[in-house]
Amino acid sequence: MRLVALVLLLANLVVWFAPGLIPPVTYERSAGGILPRVASLKMSDSSEQAPLSSAECVRVGWFDSREDATAFAERVGERFRIEERERELPPLNWVMIPPQPREVALSQFRDLFSRGVESYVVTEGEYRNAISLGLFESRAAAESVLEEKKQQNLNVVLVNFPRNRIGYALVFDVEPARETEVVQAVEAESHSNFDFVEIYVCEGVASPEKNP
């Protein structure tokens, strides 16, 4: 009996004092703070993630200068950026006396000048030493001048004059469902006097020129 009592006493002592002998659990800190619990590492289900909304772009043009584009965008009052592009324009109609030896061209030019005919000698390019008698957007106007010069016994021809120029387009980055509103604001401000107004999904949004 004494032996049984002694065993029970020792068992009780172990129950009471054993927790104090076990060292407490500590947490190590990483560079960003306490290491996360396992539960916080669980990946969110894709169906619970809010879908990313894609931005819409409204592009309008053309403007003759960056300053004109900026001034217009500020009147519209939306975030914008400016695109600079080389535009291929319809060729002009060029009435000329074909290239000839320079001395001959200069002599004929002086004769035309003395008769009050507006002209100049081309100094470079494919038609160097030709005598220009006018550039026309209208082919009908060019053909009229051509016939007039032929009646003056001048050896004249009509050729195309290719031309390109730098154009500036405005791109407004707008939230989905606002593109119609922005287009209406653009058309109201410009009185629909643009070569194009187009809406498309932005492939990448660059830093805006303005954040109103």
Side-chain angles (χ1 to χ4, degrees), residues 90-97 118-120 122 127 130-143 145-146 149 157-163:
L92 295 176
N93 300 282
W94 197 1
V95 179
M96 66 164 63
I97 297 174
E118 293 185 4
S119 60
Y120 69 86
V122 180
Y127 297 105
I131 299 177
S132 173
L133 299 174
L135 288 165
F136 304 88
E137 289 190 358
S138 166
R139 186 169 184 86
E143 289 175 346
V145 171
L146 183 72
K149 300 305 180 185
V157 294
L158 180 60
V159 299
N160 286 334
F161 179 79
R163 55 175 180 156

Side-chain angles (χ1 to χ4, degrees), residues 13-175:
L13 290 175
V14 170
V15 170
W16 282 100
F17 293 103
L21 300 177
I22 300 174
V25 177
T26 60
Y27 293 89
E28 295 182 4
R29 288 181 177 268
S30 66
I34 296 176
L35 293 174
R37 295 175 299 172
V38 173
S40 68
L41 297 177
K42 182 180 179 182
M43 297 299 292
S44 299
D45 187 88
S46 59
S47 62
E48 297 174 355
Q49 296 178 357
L52 296 176
S53 58
S54 57
E56 298 289 327
C57 281
V58 176
R59 182 190 284 121
V60 299
W62 296 98
F63 296 89
D64 291 331
S65 69
R66 181 175 290 272
E67 290 74 20
D68 289 345
T70 300
F72 181 87
E74 289 176 346
R75 293 198 299 271
V76 174
E78 298 287 340
R79 294 193 316 162
F80 70 95
R81 64 182 186 274
I82 297 175
E83 292 183 352
E84 179 178 315
R85 296 187 179 184
E86 186 175 30
R87 301 167 56 195
E88 183 175 349
L89 301 179
L92 295 176
N93 300 282
W94 197 1
V95 179
M96 66 164 63
I97 297 174
Q100 51 195 326
R102 182 167 179 77
E103 291 303 321
V104 176
L106 290 174
S107 176
Q108 190 170 17
F109 165 72
R110 286 191 289 267
D111 177 61
L112 292 171
F113 181 78
S114 66
R115 292 157 51 187
V117 178
E118 293 185 4
S119 60
Y120 69 86
V121 177
V122 180
T123 58
E124 60 184 16
E126 178 183 358
Y127 297 105
R128 186 169 181 266
N129 293 330
I131 299 177
S132 173
L133 299 174
L135 288 165
F136 304 88
E137 289 190 358
S138 166
R139 186 169 184 86
E143 289 175 346
S144 175
V145 171
L146 183 72
E147 291 302 317
E148 176 189 333
K149 300 305 180 185
K150 284 182 177 180
Q151 291 175 8
Q152 297 174 6
N153 295 320
L154 293 175
N155 177 29
V156 290
V157 294
L158 180 60
V159 299
N160 286 334
F161 179 79
R163 55 175 180 156
N164 291 321
R165 65 184 298 182
I166 299 298
Y168 299 87
L170 272 178
V171 179
F172 296 99
D173 302 318
V174 300
E175 298 82 3

